[in-house]
Amino acid sequence: MGFKVAVIYFSRRGRLVTLANVIAEGVRQVEGAEVTVYRIKDPVSGDIPEQYDEGVLDAPVATPEVILQSDCVIIGAPGRQSRMCAEVSYFFDSLTEFQTDGCLLKGKVGSAFTSVGGVGRGYGGHEAILQSFHGFFLQHGMIPVGVPPSPVMEDAPLASPYGTCMAGKARVDKSGSRLRSLSESEVKLAYSQGEWAAIITKQLHDDGD
């Protein structure tokens, strides 16, 4: 039996979108996984192309129905001064009825990723940001999943078992693109996070059949 995984991001920059796609590729390694990458729409300014890197707006928009229909939700966004960004917080607030109407997300797997650093966003605090995502999952009876510990973490300054964290400063790769300019350790950790979340979701899904 197949199971559905939603990888969801809010970002104006392309590198976090690449991170989301790497996580999705990790999910795809698990048999039965049906994964789709979504984005969160800015609730105030909407989709103004000039405010986003190329390709960021290509993904379909995440809705409460997407969350409800998924067996696993992996969600990420840049941090702002050691806090979850307002756009994701607003999106989470739109899911309040799922909690009050019978804990409708109970038993689903939740996982998170983020980035810190960069102009105006502050430095560090990534584990606090990731824990705030986990707090949302727990409030809804979901099962938080992070990054499985591995030797890769020894070489990644922002590595955390709570989720993948990407450095906020953009690096330009050999082709001049920021979309693919992740570090090797960021790619490995993101890939393993997606695969691990999918493995646990599959186990839970298969046990429930």
Side-chain angles (χ1 to χ4, degrees), residues 58-79:
D58 291 348
V61 174
T63 64
E65 288 72 27
V66 166
I67 304 296
L68 192 60
Q69 294 170 6
S70 299
D71 300 295
C72 172
V73 177
I74 307 174
I75 187 165

mmCIF file of all heavy atoms in Angstrom, residues 58-79:
data_model
loop_
_atom_site.group_PDB
_atom_site.id
_atom_site.type_symbol
_atom_site.label_atom_id
_atom_site.label_comp_id
_atom_site.label_asym_id
_atom_site.label_seq_id
_atom_site.Cartn_x
_atom_site.Cartn_y
_atom_site.Cartn_z
ATOM 1 N N ASP A 58 7.060 27.767 -8.494
ATOM 2 C CA ASP A 58 6.606 26.710 -9.397
ATOM 3 C C ASP A 58 5.806 25.620 -8.701
ATOM 4 O O ASP A 58 4.971 24.956 -9.319
ATOM 5 C CB ASP A 58 7.797 26.067 -10.116
ATOM 6 C CG ASP A 58 8.444 27.008 -11.122
ATOM 7 O OD1 ASP A 58 7.841 28.047 -11.427
ATOM 8 O OD2 ASP A 58 9.558 26.697 -11.594
ATOM 9 N N ALA A 59 6.062 25.389 -7.430
ATOM 10 C CA ALA A 59 5.387 24.310 -6.699
ATOM 11 C C ALA A 59 3.937 24.677 -6.417
ATOM 12 O O ALA A 59 3.594 25.856 -6.269
ATOM 13 C CB ALA A 59 6.115 24.029 -5.393
ATOM 14 N N PRO A 60 3.043 23.693 -6.325
ATOM 15 C CA PRO A 60 1.654 23.970 -5.953
ATOM 16 C C PRO A 60 1.572 24.489 -4.525
ATOM 17 O O PRO A 60 2.450 24.225 -3.695
ATOM 18 C CB PRO A 60 0.971 22.611 -6.093
ATOM 19 C CG PRO A 60 2.079 21.608 -5.969
ATOM 20 C CD PRO A 60 3.292 22.259 -6.568
ATOM 21 N N VAL A 61 0.513 25.218 -4.232
ATOM 22 C CA VAL A 61 0.337 25.834 -2.913
ATOM 23 C C VAL A 61 -0.223 24.815 -1.922
ATOM 24 O O VAL A 61 -1.195 24.104 -2.219
ATOM 25 C CB VAL A 61 -0.597 27.053 -3.002
ATOM 26 C CG1 VAL A 61 -0.900 27.613 -1.623
ATOM 27 C CG2 VAL A 61 0.028 28.124 -3.891
ATOM 28 N N ALA A 62 0.384 24.757 -0.745
ATOM 29 C CA ALA A 62 -0.094 23.869 0.314
ATOM 30 C C ALA A 62 -1.380 24.425 0.912
ATOM 31 O O ALA A 62 -1.528 25.636 1.089
ATOM 32 C CB ALA A 62 0.971 23.724 1.399
ATOM 33 N N THR A 63 -2.306 23.548 1.226
ATOM 34 C CA THR A 63 -3.582 23.915 1.852
ATOM 35 C C THR A 63 -3.803 23.016 3.066
ATOM 36 O O THR A 63 -3.142 21.978 3.211
ATOM 37 C CB THR A 63 -4.741 23.713 0.867
ATOM 38 O OG1 THR A 63 -4.838 22.305 0.554
ATOM 39 C CG2 THR A 63 -4.535 24.513 -0.416
ATOM 40 N N PRO A 64 -4.730 23.375 3.928
ATOM 41 C CA PRO A 64 -5.054 22.475 5.047
ATOM 42 C C PRO A 64 -5.453 21.079 4.569
ATOM 43 O O PRO A 64 -5.133 20.087 5.233
ATOM 44 C CB PRO A 64 -6.226 23.194 5.732
ATOM 45 C CG PRO A 64 -5.966 24.649 5.467
ATOM 46 C CD PRO A 64 -5.424 24.678 4.069
ATOM 47 N N GLU A 65 -6.104 20.986 3.423
ATOM 48 C CA GLU A 65 -6.517 19.680 2.899
ATOM 49 C C GLU A 65 -5.305 18.815 2.564
ATOM 50 O O GLU A 65 -5.339 17.586 2.731
ATOM 51 C CB GLU A 65 -7.393 19.873 1.661
ATOM 52 C CG GLU A 65 -8.784 20.413 1.942
ATOM 53 C CD GLU A 65 -8.774 21.879 2.356
ATOM 54 O OE1 GLU A 65 -7.824 22.607 1.956
ATOM 55 O OE2 GLU A 65 -9.691 22.304 3.078
ATOM 56 N N VAL A 66 -4.211 19.451 2.071
ATOM 57 C CA VAL A 66 -2.983 18.710 1.781
ATOM 58 C C VAL A 66 -2.447 18.066 3.056
ATOM 59 O O VAL A 66 -2.045 16.897 3.062
ATOM 60 C CB VAL A 66 -1.917 19.638 1.158
ATOM 61 C CG1 VAL A 66 -0.545 18.972 1.163
ATOM 62 C CG2 VAL A 66 -2.313 20.022 -0.260
ATOM 63 N N ILE A 67 -2.446 18.812 4.151
ATOM 64 C CA ILE A 67 -1.969 18.285 5.435
ATOM 65 C C ILE A 67 -2.848 17.119 5.877
ATOM 66 O O ILE A 67 -2.362 16.071 6.304
ATOM 67 C CB ILE A 67 -1.979 19.387 6.509
ATOM 68 C CG1 ILE A 67 -1.151 20.600 6.063
ATOM 69 C CG2 ILE A 67 -1.469 18.834 7.836
ATOM 70 C CD1 ILE A 67 0.303 20.342 5.879
ATOM 71 N N LEU A 68 -4.147 17.299 5.770
ATOM 72 C CA LEU A 68 -5.088 16.289 6.237
ATOM 73 C C LEU A 68 -4.963 14.993 5.448
ATOM 74 O O LEU A 68 -5.122 13.902 6.000
ATOM 75 C CB LEU A 68 -6.513 16.841 6.125
ATOM 76 C CG LEU A 68 -7.625 16.051 6.830
ATOM 77 C CD1 LEU A 68 -7.357 15.968 8.324
ATOM 78 C CD2 LEU A 68 -8.980 16.709 6.571
ATOM 79 N N GLN A 69 -4.664 15.094 4.175
ATOM 80 C CA GLN A 69 -4.617 13.919 3.309
ATOM 81 C C GLN A 69 -3.251 13.224 3.303
ATOM 82 O O GLN A 69 -3.113 12.145 2.731
ATOM 83 C CB GLN A 69 -4.990 14.318 1.882
ATOM 84 C CG GLN A 69 -6.440 14.773 1.737
ATOM 85 C CD GLN A 69 -6.727 15.392 0.385
ATOM 86 O OE1 GLN A 69 -5.872 15.400 -0.514
ATOM 87 N NE2 GLN A 69 -7.924 15.945 0.232
ATOM 88 N N SER A 70 -2.259 13.831 3.939
ATOM 89 C CA SER A 70 -0.908 13.263 3.944
ATOM 90 C C SER A 70 -0.686 12.380 5.164
ATOM 91 O O SER A 70 -1.222 12.634 6.239
ATOM 92 C CB SER A 70 0.134 14.385 3.924
ATOM 93 O OG SER A 70 0.005 15.171 2.758
ATOM 94 N N ASP A 71 0.124 11.359 4.988
ATOM 95 C CA ASP A 71 0.518 10.504 6.108
ATOM 96 C C ASP A 71 1.757 11.056 6.809
ATOM 97 O O ASP A 71 2.003 10.755 7.973
ATOM 98 C CB ASP A 71 0.810 9.092 5.607
ATOM 99 C CG ASP A 71 -0.405 8.456 4.946
ATOM 100 O OD1 ASP A 71 -1.407 8.227 5.644
ATOM 101 O OD2 ASP A 71 -0.356 8.219 3.722
ATOM 102 N N CYS A 72 2.529 11.848 6.075
ATOM 103 C CA CYS A 72 3.756 12.451 6.608
ATOM 104 C C CYS A 72 3.886 13.857 6.041
ATOM 105 O O CYS A 72 3.654 14.075 4.850
ATOM 106 C CB CYS A 72 4.963 11.603 6.221
ATOM 107 S SG CYS A 72 6.578 12.336 6.609
ATOM 108 N N VAL A 73 4.227 14.799 6.906
ATOM 109 C CA VAL A 73 4.413 16.193 6.506
ATOM 110 C C VAL A 73 5.814 16.619 6.918
ATOM 111 O O VAL A 73 6.175 16.559 8.098
ATOM 112 C CB VAL A 73 3.369 17.113 7.172
ATOM 113 C CG1 VAL A 73 3.628 18.563 6.791
ATOM 114 C CG2 VAL A 73 1.959 16.693 6.790
ATOM 115 N N ILE A 74 6.610 17.042 5.946
ATOM 116 C CA ILE A 74 7.964 17.538 6.204
ATOM 117 C C ILE A 74 7.966 18.998 5.783
ATOM 118 O O ILE A 74 7.815 19.310 4.606
ATOM 119 C CB ILE A 74 9.020 16.746 5.418
ATOM 120 C CG1 ILE A 74 8.871 15.245 5.683
ATOM 121 C CG2 ILE A 74 10.427 17.215 5.779
ATOM 122 C CD1 ILE A 74 9.782 14.369 4.849
ATOM 123 N N ILE A 75 8.120 19.891 6.735
ATOM 124 C CA ILE A 75 7.891 21.305 6.460
ATOM 125 C C ILE A 75 9.090 22.147 6.900
ATOM 126 O O ILE A 75 9.710 21.875 7.922
ATOM 127 C CB ILE A 75 6.590 21.778 7.149
ATOM 128 C CG1 ILE A 75 6.225 23.204 6.752
ATOM 129 C CG2 ILE A 75 6.665 21.621 8.655
ATOM 130 C CD1 ILE A 75 4.801 23.587 7.105
ATOM 131 N N GLY A 76 9.416 23.167 6.108
ATOM 132 C CA GLY A 76 10.574 23.979 6.430
ATOM 133 C C GLY A 76 10.456 25.406 5.934
ATOM 134 O O GLY A 76 9.681 25.707 5.024
ATOM 135 N N ALA A 77 11.242 26.253 6.549
ATOM 136 C CA ALA A 77 11.259 27.667 6.211
ATOM 137 C C ALA A 77 12.458 28.310 6.889
ATOM 138 O O ALA A 77 13.001 27.758 7.851
ATOM 139 C CB ALA A 77 9.979 28.359 6.678
ATOM 140 N N PRO A 78 12.888 29.470 6.417
ATOM 141 C CA PRO A 78 13.994 30.154 7.089
ATOM 142 C C PRO A 78 13.585 30.657 8.464
ATOM 143 O O PRO A 78 12.418 30.988 8.694
ATOM 144 C CB PRO A 78 14.294 31.327 6.144
ATOM 145 C CG PRO A 78 13.018 31.565 5.402
ATOM 146 C CD PRO A 78 12.401 30.218 5.234
ATOM 147 N N GLY A 79 14.565 30.659 9.373
ATOM 148 C CA GLY A 79 14.311 31.229 10.691
ATOM 149 C C GLY A 79 14.429 32.750 10.654
ATOM 150 O O GLY A 79 15.096 33.319 9.788
#
